[in-house]
């Protein structure tokens, strides 16, 4: 059963990485996974909550960072436990893969930290900012999915790595976002 799943994972990897590509995506997707592309969004959110919610905004930032740290460290722990080799480091797969980044990390492949981190933050933002942003909060998941897809596209992760990271991230985002909503909850400061 596991062998069949891994074969399908490899097959999907080669579709995403080797067949479903074009020059525009070859330019955009390596950039989408870089911190300088997504950091401005998260800095904007920090300013947004600080300006609109004052002290509760600072608590939101603290929980946001805690959510990120939990997802990142949990994913690193799982990587060490599984020890799956990345496609860009696999002696056989790397000869057939398109590696679109200059550096292939030496850490394990399962789970994707990028996917875990971004899905954790997407879930946290969805739960805590839904009252302020309404239906647009679903865009956080679209952003996380784009970053996860880019990890496979550039050749540093398999699809199963991204799916595992997404599940881990959503779980951590649910825990931290639900706790924040029960204990603090963003509400505009009352002015007297």
């Amino acid at each position: 059963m596991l062998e069949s799943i891994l074969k399908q994972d490899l097959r999907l990897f080669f579709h995403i990485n080797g067949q479903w590509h074009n020059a525009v995506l070859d330019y955009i997707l390596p950039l989408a996974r870089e911190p300088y592309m997504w950091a401005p969004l998260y800095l904007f959110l920090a300013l947004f909550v600080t300006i609109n919610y004052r002290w509760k905004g600072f608590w939101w930032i603290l929980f946001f960072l805690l959510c990120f740290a939990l997802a990142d460290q949990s994913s690193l722990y799982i990587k060490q436990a599984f020890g799956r080799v990345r496609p860009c480091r696999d002696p056989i797969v790397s000869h057939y893969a398109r590696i679109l980044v200059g550096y292939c990390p030496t850490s394990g492949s399962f789970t994707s930290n990028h996917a875990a981190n971004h899905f954790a933050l997407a879930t946290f933002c969805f739960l805590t900012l839904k009252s302020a942003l309404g239906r647009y909060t679903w865009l956080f998941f679209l952003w996380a999915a784009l970053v996860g897809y880019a990890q496979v596209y550039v050749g540093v992760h398999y699809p199963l790595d991204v799916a595992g990271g997404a599940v881990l991230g959503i779980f951590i985002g649910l825990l931290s976002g639900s706790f924040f909503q029960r204990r603090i909850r963003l509400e505009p400061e009352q002015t007297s």
Side-chain angles (χ1 to χ4, degrees):
M1 174 85 167
L2 179 61
E3 187 176 322
S4 175
I5 292 170
L6 292 176
K7 280 183 183 178
Q8 293 302 321
D9 189 36
L10 183 62
R11 184 173 291 138
L12 183 55
F13 168 79
F14 280 123
H15 280 298
I16 294 170
N17 177 262
Q19 293 178 353
W20 302 339
H21 64 86
N22 62 48
V24 174
L25 293 178
D26 284 357
Y27 178 76
I28 293 172
L29 292 181
L31 295 176
R33 55 184 294 284
E34 294 296 332
Y36 59 82
M37 291 302 289
W38 46 261
L41 168 66
Y42 297 138
L43 288 174
F44 167 78
L45 290 174
L47 285 172
F48 174 81
V49 297
T50 303
I51 291 168
N52 289 293
Y53 301 104
R54 309 264 188 244
W55 285 107
K56 285 189 178 186
F58 287 110
W59 280 108
W60 185 90
I61 293 169
L62 180 67
F63 272 80
F64 181 90
L65 293 172
L66 179 65
C67 180
F68 178 87
L70 283 172
D72 195 60
Q73 292 305 303
S74 299
S75 183
L76 285 174
Y77 178 78
I78 292 170
K79 279 178 194 275
Q80 291 173 352
F82 277 86
R84 187 178 194 193
V85 177
R86 290 176 181 264
C88 53
R89 293 234 174 245
D90 186 289
I92 297 170
V93 175
S94 63
H95 290 294
Y96 302 101
R98 298 170 58 243
I99 311 301
L100 301 179
V101 292
Y103 170 72
C104 180
T106 58
S107 60
S109 193
F110 185 85
T111 58
S112 166
N113 277 58
H114 276 75
N117 297 343
H118 288 283
F119 274 97
L121 296 179
T123 306
F124 179 79
C125 290
F126 177 81
L127 292 173
T128 60
L129 297 175
K130 193 166 187 172
S131 63
L133 302 177
R135 62 184 173 171
Y136 297 109
T137 51
W138 285 102
L139 293 175
F140 289 113
F141 290 107
L142 184 63
W143 177 253
L146 175 71
V147 171
Y149 185 83
Q151 292 295 94
V152 179
Y153 190 90
V154 301
V156 297
H157 278 290
Y158 294 103
L160 196 57
D161 305 335
V162 171
V167 169
L168 175 65
I170 289 169
F171 177 72
I172 290 170
L174 281 170
L175 289 177
S176 56
S178 297
F179 184 84
F180 181 87
Q181 287 297 91
R182 279 194 310 275
R183 302 291 180 175
I184 299 169
R185 185 181 297 274
L186 290 180
E187 295 168 348
E189 292 280 324
Q190 298 294 327
T191 55
S192 46

